[in-house]
Amino acid sequence: MFSSPLRAAARRLAAGLVVLWAAATAAYLALLVAPGDTVDTIVGDGADTPQIRAEIIAEWSLDRPAVVQYLDYLRRLAGGDLGRSYLLQRPVVEVIGEQLAPTLTLALAAAGLGVLLAVVLAVATAGNRRPWLRRASSGAELLLVSTPPFLIGIVLLSVLSFRFGLFPVSGDRGVGALVLPAVTLALPIAGLLAQVLRDGLDRALDEPFVLTARSRGVRERTVLLRHALRHALLPAVTLAGWLFGILLGGAVIVEQVFGRPGLGQVTLTAVTGKDMPVVLAVVTLSAAVYVAVNTIADLTYLLVDPRLRRS
Amino acid sequence: MTVTLAPATTEAHTPHPSTPPASTARRRRWRPGLLAAGAYLILLVVAAVWPAVLAPGDPLAADPLGVLEAPSAAHWLGTDHLGRDVWTRVVHGAGHSLTIGVAATAIAVTGGVLLGLLAGLTHRLADETLSRAFDAISAFPILLLALLFIAVAGPGTVSLIIAIGVATLPHHARVVRGQTLLVRRAAYVEEAVTFGLSRPRLVARHVLPNVIGPVPVLAVIGLGEAIMIAAGLSFLGMGPQPPSPEWGAMLSEGRNYLQVAWWITVLPGVAVTATVVALTVVGRHWQTRFDGRQR
Amino acid sequence: MAPLLAVEDLHVDFDTPTGRVAAVRGISLTVERGECVAIVGESGSGKSVTARTLVGLAGPGASVRAARLDLAGQDVRGHRPRDWRRVRGRLAGLVLQDALVSLDPLRTVGAEIGEVLATHGIVGRRERAGRVTHLLDEVHLPEPERRARQYPHQLSGGLRQRALIASAIAGEPALLIADEPTTALDVTVQAQILRLLAERRAAGVSLLLISHDLAVVAQVADRVLVMRDGRIVEHGPTARLLRSPAHPYTRQLLAAVPSASSRGHRLAASAVAVGRDGGVARREALPARPEVRPNDTLLDAAGLTRRYGDHTVVRDVSFSIARGETLGLVGESGSGKSTLARIVAGLLAADTGAVTFENAQWSGVPERVRRPLRRRLQLISQDPLSSFDPRYRVAQVVGENLDPDVGRGDRRDQVVDLLRRVGLGPDLLDRHPRRLSGGQRQRVAIARAIAPRPSLIVCDEPVSALDVSVQAQVLDLLADLRATDGTALLFISHDLGVVHHLSDRVLVMHDGAVVEQGPVGDVFTYPRHDHTRSLLDALPTLVTAGRPQEVRP
């Protein structure tokens, strides 16, 4: 009995590694299938001199057999070497490392805010207790999920910053500058999570064990928080990796709207400048984050649901 | 993204649990929201196919004397920084947005159905390989994956379509695969061999129709998603290039005039939101009807 | 002294999207201190709603009216949620069916029981663990300390149900309301749970027992109330009510219960005449069947074994079925009977052993070889709806199993004919099976199964999900069909009464092996194996009065 949770955890870790490997491979393939010469692709819009071309060929082992190129790439990746940006004339790790903090701050702030908002909305509107509030909340969620984040950002910006001057228009100085971008990013997530959570709560509230709990004289709030919410959180937990993907993707747009530095700016500059090493690195990094978050979510799942620990 | 936790199975014989009648029924007959959504979508299709019916003007006609005019009787939604009529541009933009969305969704759904069926119907090894591949591609955030594609292929409408199509394909493939496995293991398929059906006929008669059935629903909801991603990418300048009246691109252009002329930016955005909401409402309604039929 | 529970003219209505539905229409009942009262009824009778209303949990959209609703001397009619919380668990405990879903699967059994203690502040935080162990011990859960730390899914069905009862009695309520407390359980486990309930009652707790099964409540109840369509049609002391039921519905219910004494006769209401003293006096005999010749073997199974991993589900099972014979197969859940059914039906391959059918090799051959014979062997399962393609209407469901060569026009005629044979009208042709009742669905499944005129039908728990009166009709139908068509049946059930009623011979399965087989009368009258004996001992039976006499139609 004791070893099986460990085995289940090990299996999930292994599955995560496989996905990570496949994702890295997919990114690498994207580079190879790009039309034109691979050296041209890697050089992008950067300075194109015979010396740099030679450097690229050496770094990516382009003069060696395809298998060796690929294994070399994987080895470098495993060692944390993400290559060199020829546009910026710097190692990619440095470029990304500098810009990681603001994006991570933004993403975490948005994640925290989104989850909090979703839980509050879902718990307040689950069941049939307040039909009016429930309908209003469902409508708001649909609207939030369907509105492009840049529009949310622009509306917040024009009302709260331009009209009332409550928050700075752009930049990353201080907590004040974080509020609007974090809210912008958090709202769609909150809308989506709230729908999933309320669905889960509704389903749990229809279960016989909730009836049993009520028949013990337990308060409705306790029924919701102690019994139903746990069941509702399970499906939400599996969405964690995917939500992080939305956060990273959304961060690109939100950083653009609010003129914040971060990975988003780096990515956009790299895409427009065809700076492939940077693009590849960002994409691979986001896949790694996805896999990590998902693996943690899976392990949490094992922790919360004793039924899964068996097999 | 639909996640179902395996329900706790009860013992083999469980007669009627005698529950009180329909405690969860939340159905209303009169659905104004659904009607509004349907009407909006019809309008959208008209705008995409015959934009001149709704807005006879030229979306590219600049008027240097009437720039940044607020909404009025002459210009319902005002004019932009070049004096172009925003209403006309929004109407003509519908074609762009819808084309990109529909084309991308077509790629995603067609590919998703084929690969999903392949994974769900063939050998376990094929299933395992394909499923891992879906997992791997799903590990990339959709927007970043699309950006990677555009970095390789360069910006533009065609890139945008293919990028979104490929990025959203694994999701459809997973849903179809899941549905295929579900149907394959359903009692009505397992027991159908007792009617003397051969396997190909069984697949054709019972498996395929029940797998393909929900696909249009999937497509409608997927279309909303595709349109939203497309708007995001064009906003970042990766889609149709100015002066083309694409909604995301219009938003991006109007951003610099936000303080003086909010309508240039907000109204194309509202069009995007309304489209996604309408598609979601119609898709969900359809889905609940489907679920009702499946259960 | 006033009764513990006094209910007068209770009405419960539900507001649904399609209008107001009356679930309970003016019932009255009392439960004295230390008494056990049972409410018996079929699905939709309002018995469960009644049980829940008594603890203020009728559900959303319910409106409750009553002339009197007294619990332990309290008028609970005007109770607000806060007042109800003091009643629940403390004055009245509720036990539901199947603890796998009635206990929170994410919490340990101990935490669930402790919740009652904490909610009502019964013992301090420190003594709580000790009290939980004590309660588990009280319901005879072995190793209570270890069990308290386990989750519901780690306990067997019987132990789970005990834990659920422990949580219901933790607040020492004077009244225990048990809603189908033994329904999902095997018969031997059911007997244990009934004993446990009787024990609580001996300890001074009043019991209100809700069940669909008259035989179950007959074991413990002092008085029985029979409910139908939200009304109580008859009530009285258990023995009197079973011996001389006054209301036709009660008589019909009693007559519908299949058993040894109903063998060879019809069960359904219209076929039963009622004697002067109220008991079931005369039943209509079933039509004569073609004679079964034991040597005319239709299907032969030899040495069938099936493993899942290192677990052997079916272990060296051999038997044969003669042409036209009905072979019963009984066993508790997990005995391997359903796996055996799937092997016989050719849906699952056995690891070892062989099946021959119609003198041809049936197992271990490619599907292509088996296909021509497929139509001779059909299957009916417990849940007909899941065996119908969800897109199909009745006409397509039944028509699917017709000879592929039958033309379009003839097809519909043949389907109509088949439906008529199972007692359904042509008006159902274009209906969707979802919109049919459970009994109608099972009839559609039977119509589909008999379409190719099979020589053998494997019936896997075909009536387990049905109400007793509907079960009676379906059993009568199966009996008619085997008489007219001479079809052999492999009839699988957990219900010994059903098997006794219908079968010629019986196999008793236990842990994957056949422990006993023989003519049904011999096996059930003179069981040789311990397991058969314990099954029979645990079987709750009606102490019915008056053996039925035969009437010639």
Side-chain angles (χ1 to χ4, degrees):
Chain A
M1 194 66 220
F2 184 73
S3 71
S4 70
L6 284 180
R7 217 177 314 152
R11 213 182 11 241
R12 277 165 171 79
L13 279 174
L17 283 178
V18 170
V19 170
L20 196 57
W21 162 75
T25 306
Y28 184 68
L29 283 176
L31 184 75
L32 289 191
V33 300
D37 182 35
T38 309
V39 179
D40 284 342
T41 314
I42 295 174
V43 103
D45 291 352
D48 191 356
T49 65
Q51 195 197 339
I52 283 179
R53 295 189 82 89
E55 237 178 83
I56 291 173
I57 289 172
E59 192 186 338
W60 294 81
S61 317
L62 291 177
D63 49 348
R64 319 209 13 213
V67 182
V68 180
Q69 289 180 27
Y70 171 62
L71 290 178
D72 254 15
Y73 162 79
L74 283 186
R75 210 191 44 226
R76 279 196 297 131
L77 207 59
D81 178 5
L82 298 173
R84 198 177 159 76
S85 159
Y86 296 94
L87 195 64
L88 305 172
Q89 289 298 329
R90 295 170 63 195
V92 174
V93 176
E94 264 181 47
V95 177
I96 290 181
E98 278 165 17
Q99 304 293 334
L100 199 59
T103 301
L104 223 54
T105 316
L106 174 63
L108 288 177
L113 190 62
V115 169
L116 187 73
L117 210 61
V119 169
V120 169
L121 270 181
V123 169
T125 58
N128 264 345
R129 291 165 303 153
R130 308 179 184 102
W132 182 84
L133 189 65
R134 188 190 165 92
R135 220 167 301 155
S137 172
S138 310
E141 286 151 24
L142 176 60
L143 209 61
L144 289 180
V145 173
S146 309
T147 308
F150 51 86
L151 182 63
I152 298 181
I154 284 170
V155 169
L156 287 178
L157 203 59
S158 60
V159 175
L160 297 180
S161 293
F162 293 153
R163 187 69 43 90
F164 297 111
L166 290 177
F167 297 99
V169 172
S170 69
D172 69 332
R173 299 245 172 78
V175 183
L178 185 62
V179 174
L180 284 190
V183 169
T184 303
L185 203 48
L187 285 178
I189 290 171
L192 196 117
L193 260 186
Q195 292 175 341
V196 174
L197 277 178
R198 189 176 34 240
D199 257 20
L201 282 175
D202 283 350
R203 249 196 315 268
L205 286 176
D206 277 345
E207 293 279 339
F209 67 79
V210 163
L211 185 63
T212 307
R214 286 183 178 140
S215 80
R216 295 183 185 128
V218 173
R219 287 165 177 278
E220 196 56 31
R221 197 177 44 200
T222 316
V223 168
L224 265 171
L225 296 180
R226 193 188 286 163
H227 293 276
L229 188 57
R230 275 192 187 201
H231 289 259
L233 281 175
L234 287 178
V237 165
T238 54
L239 288 181
W242 185 75
L243 275 177
F244 239 85
I246 294 198
L247 276 174
L248 287 180
V252 174
I253 290 177
V254 170
E255 285 174 3
Q256 174 77 2
V257 171
F258 290 94
R260 274 177 68 86
L263 274 190
Q265 301 286 16
V266 171
T267 313
L268 284 181
T269 321
V271 170
T272 31
K274 298 204 157 205
D275 193 352
M276 280 314 280
V278 174
V279 177
L280 276 188
V282 169
V283 169
T284 314
L285 186 73
S286 65
V289 169
Y290 170 92
V291 169
V293 171
N294 239 9
T295 309
I296 294 171
D298 276 355
L299 296 179
T300 317
Y301 217 111
L302 279 179
L303 219 62
V304 177
D305 194 339
R307 288 168 295 185
L308 297 176
R309 283 179 221 153
R310 277 181 299 183
S311 47
Chain B
M1 57 173 259
T2 22
V3 188
T4 24
L5 178 61
T9 43
T10 47
E11 313 284 32
H13 39 83
T14 314
H16 48 86
S18 19
T19 36
S23 62
T24 45
R26 290 181 199 103
R27 221 150 31 103
R28 280 176 305 150
R29 222 174 259 168
W30 172 236
R31 303 176 138 272
L34 185 65
L35 259 144
Y40 178 83
L41 289 180
I42 291 171
L43 219 63
L44 192 68
V45 172
V46 171
V49 183
W50 307 284
V53 174
L54 296 170
D58 178 0
L60 302 181
D63 174 10
L65 298 177
V67 298
L68 302 177
E69 273 179 26
S72 64
H75 299 287
W76 296 356
L77 300 185
T79 62
D80 69 3
H81 57 291
L82 297 178
R84 296 174 296 195
D85 182 55
V86 175
W87 165 251
T88 311
R89 284 178 67 77
V90 168
V91 168
H92 285 258
H96 278 88
S97 287
L98 221 53
T99 308
I100 295 171
V102 169
T105 310
I107 292 175
V109 169
T110 315
V113 167
L114 290 179
L115 290 177
L117 279 174
L118 199 64
L121 283 178
T122 51
H123 195 262
R124 255 191 70 183
L125 191 70
D127 181 18
E128 201 63 27
T129 315
L130 280 170
S131 294
R132 290 290 150 245
F134 300 155
D135 283 351
I137 298 184
S138 307
F140 302 113
I142 291 177
L143 196 95
L144 289 184
L145 187 60
L147 281 177
L148 168 67
F149 188 89
I150 290 165
V152 171
T157 307
V158 177
S159 293
L160 202 60
I161 290 172
I162 300 176
I164 296 171
V166 171
T168 52
L169 189 150
H171 169 67
H172 295 283
R174 281 170 143 185
V175 173
V176 170
R177 171 186 172 269
Q179 177 77 7
T180 310
L181 292 183
L182 212 69
V183 171
R184 255 183 80 177
R185 291 178 194 149
Y188 64 88
V189 169
E190 283 211 310
E191 291 169 14
V193 287
T194 62
F195 312 145
L197 285 182
S198 64
R199 194 179 143 78
R201 288 189 67 176
L202 201 153
V203 169
R205 190 184 290 177
H206 292 295
V207 180
L208 285 183
N210 282 296
V211 173
I212 303 294
V215 165
V217 181
L218 203 66
V220 167
I221 294 177
L223 178 57
E225 203 192 349
I227 287 178
M228 199 147 99
I229 301 167
L233 286 168
S234 335
F235 175 78
L236 296 174
M238 305 297 165
Q241 301 298 310
S244 165
E246 202 276 342
W247 290 340
M250 286 172 70
L251 255 152
S252 183
E253 271 183 274
R255 226 152 50 89
N256 300 330
Y257 307 93
L258 198 52
Q259 270 172 291
V260 284
W262 56 269
W263 52 89
I264 312 179
T265 311
V266 173
L267 295 174
V270 169
V272 176
T273 306
T275 307
V276 180
V277 168
L279 285 169
T280 312
V281 167
V282 170
R284 279 190 195 162
H285 173 72
W286 204 356
Q287 190 165 36
T288 36
R289 281 188 48 187
F290 231 100
D291 288 352
R293 261 214 290 165
Q294 298 278 310
R295 237 145 256 163
Chain C
M1 204 164 128
L4 180 66
L5 172 73
V7 178
E8 271 173 38
D9 198 28
L10 172 71
H11 290 263
V12 184
D13 299 318
F14 284 93
D15 282 322
T16 68
T18 46
R20 187 161 262 230
V21 177
V24 178
R25 311 159 185 245
I27 68 164
S28 302
L29 69 114
T30 58
V31 180
E32 302 290 340
R33 287 176 195 273
E35 193 186 24
C36 175
V37 175
I39 302 181
V40 172
E42 298 187 290
S43 43
S45 62
K47 58 187 193 303
S48 272
V49 175
T50 305
R52 283 157 206 204
T53 304
L54 296 179
V55 286
L57 291 171
S63 54
V64 178
R65 280 176 294 131
R68 186 178 177 199
L69 203 57
D70 289 354
L71 184 58
Q74 275 186 32
D75 184 355
V76 298
R77 281 178 301 174
H79 267 25
R80 288 162 301 167
R82 196 157 44 120
D83 307 321
W84 271 120
R85 285 204 297 271
R86 278 198 285 268
V87 171
R88 294 178 200 143
R90 201 71 172 112
L91 295 182
L94 185 65
V95 178
L96 297 173
Q97 174 187 338
D98 191 9
L100 184 61
V101 290
S102 300
L103 286 171
D104 192 333
L106 301 186
R107 287 157 55 85
T108 61
V109 165
E112 285 284 275
I113 299 171
E115 186 174 65
V116 191
L117 302 175
T119 304
H120 296 287
I122 291 165
V123 291
R125 187 179 280 272
R126 295 230 178 109
E127 297 109 90
R128 214 171 284 157
R131 179 60 75 92
V132 167
T133 315
H134 175 76
L135 282 161
L136 287 175
D137 195 40
E138 197 117 304
V139 295
H140 311 304
L141 216 67
E143 305 176 78
E145 271 136 9
R146 189 167 74 87
R147 300 296 184 190
R149 290 192 303 270
Q150 290 188 321
Y151 292 93
H153 75 267
Q154 292 171 310
L155 303 179
S156 71
L159 295 189
R160 253 189 329 249
Q161 200 65 15
R162 285 170 191 273
L164 182 63
I165 292 174
S167 98
I169 63 172
E172 294 158 2
L175 177 66
L176 197 56
I177 302 171
D179 189 357
E180 303 274 6
T182 63
T183 296
L185 302 175
D186 282 324
V187 47
T188 48
V189 182
Q190 164 169 290
Q192 293 161 11
I193 297 295
L194 288 177
R195 260 201 302 282
L196 178 62
L197 288 174
E199 218 176 280
R200 296 321 307 167
R201 189 178 145 227
V205 175
S206 302
L207 272 180
L208 181 63
L209 194 59
I210 314 289
S211 180
H212 69 284
D213 191 336
L214 265 168
V216 162
V217 306
Q219 312 300 305
V220 278
D222 301 305
R223 288 189 293 123
V224 176
L225 298 94
V226 180
M227 236 180 133
R228 184 192 198 183
D229 292 339
R231 292 194 181 84
I232 289 174
V233 296
E234 180 168 8
H235 63 96
T238 309
R240 201 279 295 155
L241 191 118
L242 294 183
R243 196 173 353 97
S244 48
H247 195 278
Y249 179 66
T250 316
R251 291 179 199 146
Q252 180 194 323
L253 276 186
L254 284 168
V257 178
S259 66
S261 58
S262 64
R263 259 182 89 75
H265 299 84
R266 289 191 181 281
L267 296 165
S270 57
V272 180
V274 176
R276 196 154 305 169
D277 61 347
V280 179
R282 296 179 299 175
R283 291 175 188 273
E284 191 182 317
L286 286 170
R289 290 162 60 190
E291 197 192 338
V292 176
R293 282 172 297 155
N295 294 328
D296 189 2
T297 303
L298 175 65
L299 180 133
D300 187 72
L304 296 178
T305 298
R306 171 79 199 195
R307 285 179 211 91
Y308 284 113
D310 45 5
H311 183 58
T312 307
V313 194
V314 173
R315 173 189 322 256
D316 194 22
V317 169
S318 303
F319 63 90
S320 65
I321 303 175
R323 204 166 283 280
E325 184 186 35
T326 298
L327 178 67
L329 174 55
V330 293
E332 300 194 302
S333 53
S335 62
K337 55 189 193 305
S338 278
T339 307
L340 185 60
R342 295 174 65 76
I343 293 173
V344 171
L347 297 174
L348 192 70
D351 294 330
T352 55
V355 183
T356 53
F357 173 60
E358 298 264 20
N359 300 319
Q361 193 66 28
W362 178 249
S363 67
V365 294
E367 182 59 29
R368 197 165 21 83
V369 176
R370 200 152 38 178
R371 198 164 298 133
L373 266 181
R374 278 282 184 197
R375 301 171 60 74
R376 305 288 297 153
L377 195 160
Q378 292 294 305
L379 178 74
I380 304 172
S381 57
Q382 178 182 356
D383 178 10
L385 195 58
S386 73
S387 76
F388 301 156
D389 190 315
R391 296 170 306 129
Y392 280 11
R393 288 166 195 282
V394 170
Q396 288 162 293
V397 168
V398 178
E400 177 173 34
N401 212 4
L402 286 171
D403 200 317
D405 300 333
V406 176
R408 211 155 226 267
D410 292 345
R411 230 177 168 73
R412 206 166 167 91
D413 290 346
Q414 289 197 16
V415 172
V416 171
D417 193 50
L418 285 164
L419 288 180
R420 189 186 47 72
R421 288 196 61 203
V422 298
L424 297 175
D427 51 315
L428 297 187
L429 273 175
D430 294 315
R431 287 272 279 283
H432 198 285
R434 276 191 319 271
R435 307 230 177 277
L436 303 181
S437 69
Q440 286 172 321
R441 287 174 192 168
Q442 199 55 281
R443 283 169 194 268
V444 171
I446 293 172
R448 180 175 69 175
I450 61 172
R453 303 196 150 270
S455 55
L456 174 64
I457 302 180
V458 175
C459 310
D460 188 4
E461 300 271 7
V463 292
S464 308
L466 303 176
D467 275 325
V468 61
S469 55
V470 181
Q471 164 179 299
Q473 295 163 9
V474 171
L475 289 176
D476 285 355
L477 172 64
L478 285 173
D480 284 341
L481 291 173
R482 80 177 167 185
T484 48
D485 296 5
T487 316
L489 303 177
L490 174 60
F491 193 93
I492 296 154
S493 179
H494 67 285
D495 185 334
L496 277 71
V498 172
V499 169
H500 204 163
H501 170 80
L502 203 66
S503 313
D504 302 314
R505 284 190 310 124
V506 63
L507 301 179
V508 182
M509 268 186 100
H510 182 53
D511 279 345
V514 170
V515 295
E516 190 162 357
Q517 60 176 309
V520 71
D522 293 357
V523 171
F524 284 171
T525 321
Y526 310 107
R528 273 171 299 173
H529 194 276
D530 285 347
H531 182 69
T532 318
R533 216 166 291 139
S534 69
L535 283 181
L536 287 165
D537 287 346
L539 184 69
T541 46
L542 292 167
V543 209
T544 36
R547 291 257 152 183
Q549 296 160 8
E550 246 168 65
V551 251
R552 292 269 160 235

